[in-house]
């Protein structure tokens, strides 16, 4: 058989290889395409533009830059444009009891409001499901008409008008008909881990009103702090950083006038170490003293769910708090209940055995049911994190799904009202596009009746690694994207959504970078150079920070990572650039920026070095583009090596992502790489050449080739 393999046969095989490979060109490189590494005297690329991607087409009404996008917008094809001045004339049947715009009787633009807005009577409080619809008409004769059935609808319409007022020109005639998709559009703010002053919460409420959110959920207690004053139990709250009852009443009124409800959360039976500092008899361990926890994570401190004294205490506490918090819903937490103290206590284990509670989940269910009964006594509806749904509760109870969407679907399927927080965790530092893409359509898993149990959702900002100074930048503008998903029925293209989000950010959330620049100035004297670096970096979220340093509640959050914004707008802007001269100057500035950095912080110096290397890679890629406008072709091994370098640069510095890497990665994607080069080709030809040599050398044929082929033949025959 082997003698039949002749030199001619082998050469024929080789020729066939070459023919097949040539047919797959340009996936085959006949030569090793590896660009030069010399960058001592880089030159700008000769080509001016590259076609990076197809242009996006946003619908006409998206040019209004409204967020959330209204349900219906009617514009004329031959519309005229007007500009709404900062000062307007407001016509109403009675004075507005809530804050509005600058107004003057002599203003050239008139806004007429028809609706119910009698908020002077403080007994009027926004309730779940109140009509929030409105209609806004703007004409070319400098007049606008806002019509709503309730004062809440008036406030939602004024929020839209406020956004239109901030724009340069408005097409007229313009009609906006709007109503929300979900009736629960909330924001959970953790004020327990790090205390957040009332002034910042009020600012947050103002921006919530702007994007039509309607629930502020305050996480008031945790292992690290108890922030709500209790006159009934004065040893509960923190002695230095807490909200007095008068402060909270004023805050509730402030939110009420902006049609926002405030829901309190007092976490139990776990996350309760702060309760036990002043009242240790509530705990399961019966320790004589407790201290506030300073470490983050899940701790063992849990309430004794078996003692009647615990429920008597909570009864009095609920009675006091429900006199302050007016909302129908009362959040009891119920998450992450560690069973250690329960299962270590002999009395508790005996209680579980006597009452046929076979697991700690059963004991928590027992506790939750008794707490629900106490809240019903005060005409309050219980809500909690999705762990509380493990037992049968009242069908009015509200489940907040945070671990997965499956818990939301399960709750709705069982007939419980539910809201979604999974996918809306702002402290994870995910981009707005991630939150905006969170799936809120359940047609395939729930019937229409069960879908009605899904009331909406809540964005969540946990503050283990966020203090009061950072809260605003961590909330906005990303929360606006979540607000749109909960209000609007339509879903926009991601790029078009970002266009509107950036306009809103520029006009309202961050009209200037004054605080940002002042914070950077504390780390370096050359703020311009440091800002260039900071604009290309992003902080990692919860899971990217809790493994790198030993953070506690006393750790100062004033490092470079704490000043960074969650999402790099500069990176998104540069990714859209297709003008190579602009990219070249950008990469060159990255390369030179290290010279001007005068900080001693290790992370800043390392990031500056990484940015320098990133600029060099970017310039190296730009040199590949030629006037023929064909996509460059490089070796697959060289392409893979560049990708390896970029991945290493992106996450080399702990807790920080070098977001600028995405700009160079995007450029790299415009380059084709070879499936085969000479090295790969040589591997393909290696086996037939071995056969050729073996056939010509008799000793190799007898001692090596024939035994190997016989071995393979027998093995294959047995299969």
């Amino acid at each position: 058989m082997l003698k039949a393999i002749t030199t001619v046969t082998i050469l024929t095989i080789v020729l066939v290889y070459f023919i097949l490979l040539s047919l797959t060109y340009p996936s085959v490189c006949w030569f090793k395409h590896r660009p030069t590494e010399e960058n001592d005297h880089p030159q700008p690329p000769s080509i001016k533009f590259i076609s990076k991607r197809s242009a996006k087409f946003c619908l006409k009404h998206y040019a209004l830059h409204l967020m959330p996008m209204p349900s219906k917008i009617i514009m004329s094809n031959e519309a005229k444009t007007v500009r709404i001045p900062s000062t307007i004339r407001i016509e109403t049947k009675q004075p507005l009891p809530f804050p509005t715009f600058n107004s003057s009787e002599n203003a050239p633009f008139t806004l007429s409001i028809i609706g119910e807005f009698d908020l002077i009577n403080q007994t009027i409080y926004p309730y779940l499901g109140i009509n929030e619809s409105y209609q806004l008409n703007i004409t070319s004769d400098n007049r606008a008409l806002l019509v709503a059935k309730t004062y809440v609808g008036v406030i939602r319409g004024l929020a839209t008008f406020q956004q239109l007022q901030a724009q340069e020109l408005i097409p007229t005639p313009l009609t906006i008909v709007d109503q929300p998709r979900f009736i629960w559009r909330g924001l959970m703010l953790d004020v327990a881990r790090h205390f957040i002053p009332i002034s910042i919460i009020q600012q947050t409420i103002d921006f919530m009103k702007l994007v039509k959110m309607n629930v502020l959920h305050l996480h008031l207690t945790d292992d690290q702090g108890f922030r709500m004053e209790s006159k009934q139990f004065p040893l509960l709250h923190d002695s230095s950083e807490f909200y007095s009852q008068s402060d909270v009443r004023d805050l509730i009124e402030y939110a009420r006038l902006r049609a926002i409800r405030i829901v309190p959360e007092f976490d139990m039976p776990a996350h309760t170490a702060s309760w036990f500092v002043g009242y240790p008899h509530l705990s399961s361990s019966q320790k004589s003293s407790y201290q506030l926890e300073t470490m983050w994570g899940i701790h063992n401190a849990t309430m004794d769910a078996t003692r009647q004294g615990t429920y008597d205490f909570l009864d009095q506490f609920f009675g006091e708090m429900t006199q302050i918090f007016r909302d129908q819903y009362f959040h009891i937490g119920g998450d992450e209940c560690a069973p250690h103290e329960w299962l270590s206590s002999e009395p508790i284990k005996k209680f579980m055995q006597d009452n046929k509670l076979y697991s700690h989940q059963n004991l928590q269910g027992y506790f939750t049911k008794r707490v629900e009964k106490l809240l019903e006594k005060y005409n309050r509806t219980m809500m909690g994190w999705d762990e509380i749904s493990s037992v049968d509760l009242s069908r009015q109870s509200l489940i907040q799904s945070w671990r997965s969407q499956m818990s939301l679907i399960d709750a709705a399927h069982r007939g419980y009202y539910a809201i979604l927080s999974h996918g809306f965790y702002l402290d994870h530092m995910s981009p707005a596009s991630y939150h905006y893409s969170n799936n809120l359509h359940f047609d395939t898993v729930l019937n229409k009746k069960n879908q009605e149990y899904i009331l909406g959702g809540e964005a969540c900002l946990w503050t283990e690694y966020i203090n009061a100074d950072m809260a605003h930048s961590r909330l906005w503008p990303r929360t606006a994207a979540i607000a749109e998903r909960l209000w609007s029925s339509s879903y926009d293209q991601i790029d078009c959504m970002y266009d509107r989000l950036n306009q809103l950010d520029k006009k309202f959330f961050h009209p200037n970078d004054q605080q940002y620049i002042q914070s950077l100035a504390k780390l370096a004297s050359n703020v311009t150079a440091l800002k260039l670096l900071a604009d290309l970096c992003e902080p990692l979220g919860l899971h990217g920070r809790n493994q790198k340093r030993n953070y506690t509640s006393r750790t100062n959050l004033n490092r470079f990572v704490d000043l960074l914004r969650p999402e790099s707008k500069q990176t998104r802007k540069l990714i859209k650039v297709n003008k190579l001269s602009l990219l070249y100057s950008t990469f060159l500035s990255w390369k030179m920026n290290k010279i001007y950095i005068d900080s001693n912080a290790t992370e800043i110096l390392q990031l500056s070095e990484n940015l320098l290397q990133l600029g060099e890679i970017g310039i190296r890629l730009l040199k590949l583009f030629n006037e023929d406008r064909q996509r460059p072709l490089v070796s697959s091994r060289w392409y893979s090596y560049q990708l390896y370098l970029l991945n290493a640069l992106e996450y080399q510095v702990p807790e920080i992502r070098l977001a600028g890497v995405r700009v160079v990665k995007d450029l790299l994607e415009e380059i084709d790489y070879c499936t085969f080069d000479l090295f790969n080709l040589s591997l393909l030809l290696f086996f037939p050449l071995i056969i050729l040599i073996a056939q010509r050398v008799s000793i190799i044929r007898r001692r090596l080739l024939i035994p190997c082929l016989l071995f393979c033949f027998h093995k294959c025959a047995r299969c």
Side-chain angles (χ1 to χ4, degrees), residues 668-681:
L668 185 62
E669 290 177 0
E670 302 303 319
I671 299 173
D672 288 329
Y673 59 89
C674 308
T675 306
F676 299 102
D677 56 17
L678 285 180
F679 178 76
N680 304 118
L681 184 61

Side-chain angles (χ1 to χ4, degrees), residues 426-488:
L426 296 166
D427 54 298
H428 289 188
M429 301 301 157
S430 301
S433 57
Y434 169 81
H435 301 304
Y436 193 75
S437 301
N438 201 8
N439 182 25
L440 294 174
H441 295 281
F442 306 100
D443 302 3
T444 59
V445 290
L446 292 172
N447 58 39
K448 289 186 178 180
K449 181 179 179 181
N450 288 335
Q451 288 181 52
E452 294 176 357
Y453 290 110
I454 299 179
L455 303 181
E458 272 189 6
C460 295
L461 186 71
W462 299 100
T463 58
E464 288 95 332
Y465 305 97
I466 301 169
N467 60 22
D469 295 333
M470 302 158 60
H472 178 72
S473 66
R474 297 301 190 254
L475 283 169
W476 310 102
R478 293 179 301 150
T479 303
I482 299 175
E484 174 159 306
R485 293 297 285 127
L486 297 173
W487 175 279
S488 303

Side-chain angles (χ1 to χ4, degrees), residues 585-601:
S585 60
T586 298
F587 294 151
L588 195 59
S589 67
W590 292 2
K591 184 177 178 180
M592 304 298 294
N593 194 63
K594 183 182 178 182
I595 302 174
Y596 305 104
I597 294 291
D598 55 357
S599 173
N600 294 324

Side-chain angles (χ1 to χ4, degrees), residues 140-160:
S140 57
D141 58 349
N142 290 329
R143 294 189 66 87
L145 174 64
L146 174 61
V147 180
K149 295 182 179 180
T150 66
Y151 75 94
V152 177
V154 172
I155 293 174
R156 302 295 177 247
L158 288 175
T160 298

Side-chain angles (χ1 to χ4, degrees), residues 237-502:
H237 59 271
D238 191 296
S239 59
S240 58
E241 294 182 321
F242 69 96
Y243 307 115
S244 68
Q245 293 189 3
S246 61
D247 287 339
V248 172
R249 285 192 174 95
D250 291 343
L251 183 67
I252 292 172
E253 177 64 12
Y254 187 92
R256 183 186 76 91
L257 293 176
R258 290 154 180 81
I260 293 175
R261 302 158 41 219
I262 292 185
V263 173
E265 179 187 350
F266 297 94
D267 211 342
M268 60 187 75
H271 291 280
T272 46
S274 60
W275 296 67
F276 306 153
V277 174
Y279 301 92
H281 67 277
L282 296 173
S283 71
S284 299
S285 68
Q286 296 299 299
K287 288 179 4 183
S288 59
S289 64
Y290 273 84
Q291 299 293 326
L292 290 176
E293 294 287 352
T294 59
M295 302 293 293
W296 309 129
I298 301 174
H299 299 280
N300 292 327
T302 48
M303 287 183 174
D304 189 342
T306 66
R307 292 180 63 251
Q308 180 59 37
T310 300
Y311 301 101
D312 293 339
F313 184 98
L314 292 176
D315 188 7
Q316 296 180 59
F317 179 76
F318 291 158
E320 181 182 18
M321 291 299 110
T322 52
Q323 293 298 312
I324 301 169
F325 293 97
R326 303 175 58 181
D327 200 81
Q328 178 67 32
Y329 286 88
F330 198 99
H331 204 299
I332 67 159
D335 61 317
E336 298 177 331
C337 185
H340 175 75
E341 289 192 354
W342 284 349
L343 301 182
S344 299
S345 169
E346 293 300 327
I348 291 178
K349 287 195 292 184
K350 185 177 186 305
F351 179 89
M352 293 173 64
Q353 184 177 3
D354 293 343
N355 290 270
K356 298 182 180 180
L357 303 172
Y358 301 112
S359 67
H360 69 276
Q361 290 93 343
N362 295 144
L363 181 57
Q364 183 177 355
Y366 169 85
F367 173 85
T368 302
K369 284 184 175 181
R370 292 200 59 175
V371 167
E372 184 179 37
K373 292 294 183 183
L374 293 177
L375 289 174
E376 288 175 355
K377 174 181 175 181
Y378 298 102
N379 297 316
R380 292 295 186 269
T381 301
M382 184 185 72
M383 67 177 293
W385 302 104
D386 55 45
E387 285 92 334
I388 72 170
S389 64
S390 60
V391 294
D392 291 330
L393 303 169
S394 164
R395 285 296 181 264
Q396 298 303 313
S397 299
L398 179 60
I399 309 301
Q400 185 165 5
S401 173
W402 72 279
R403 291 181 294 180
S404 70
Q405 286 198 353
M406 287 307 301
S407 58
L408 177 87
I409 295 169
D410 177 68
H413 184 73
R414 293 165 57 195
Y416 291 107
Y417 292 106
I419 60 174
L420 180 67
S421 285
H422 177 76
F424 292 146
Y425 269 41
L426 296 166
D427 54 298
H428 289 188
M429 301 301 157
S430 301
S433 57
Y434 169 81
H435 301 304
Y436 193 75
S437 301
N438 201 8
N439 182 25
L440 294 174
H441 295 281
F442 306 100
D443 302 3
T444 59
V445 290
L446 292 172
N447 58 39
K448 289 186 178 180
K449 181 179 179 181
N450 288 335
Q451 288 181 52
E452 294 176 357
Y453 290 110
I454 299 179
L455 303 181
E458 272 189 6
C460 295
L461 186 71
W462 299 100
T463 58
E464 288 95 332
Y465 305 97
I466 301 169
N467 60 22
D469 295 333
M470 302 158 60
H472 178 72
S473 66
R474 297 301 190 254
L475 283 169
W476 310 102
R478 293 179 301 150
T479 303
I482 299 175
E484 174 159 306
R485 293 297 285 127
L486 297 173
W487 175 279
S488 303
S489 299
S490 58
Y491 178 83
D492 197 4
Q493 299 178 52
I494 293 297
D495 284 342
C496 300
M497 180 274 293
Y498 268 112
D499 288 345
R500 294 183 290 115
L501 188 66
N502 290 337

Side-chain angles (χ1 to χ4, degrees), residues 2 5-18 20-21 680-697 700 705 709:
L2 289 176
I5 303 178
T6 64
T7 303
V8 176
T9 306
I10 297 302
L11 292 177
T12 303
I13 294 174
V14 173
L15 180 61
V16 171
Y17 268 79
F18 274 98
L20 292 176
L21 293 175
N680 304 118
L681 184 61
S682 65
L683 291 179
L684 290 174
L685 300 178
F686 181 73
F687 182 69
L689 290 176
I690 285 293
I691 295 178
L692 175 62
I693 295 172
Q695 194 270 340
R696 306 304 295 176
V697 181
I700 297 178
L705 188 57
L709 290 176

Side-chain angles (χ1 to χ4, degrees), residues 185-209:
R185 307 177 306 280
L187 169 65
M188 191 289 300
L189 191 58
D190 174 14
V191 298
R193 270 58 176 267
H194 279 100
F195 182 75
I196 298 179
I198 291 290
S199 60
I200 295 179
I201 299 178
Q202 288 176 335
Q203 182 191 48
T204 301
I205 289 173
D206 289 336
F207 289 132
M208 290 176 65
K209 176 179 74 71

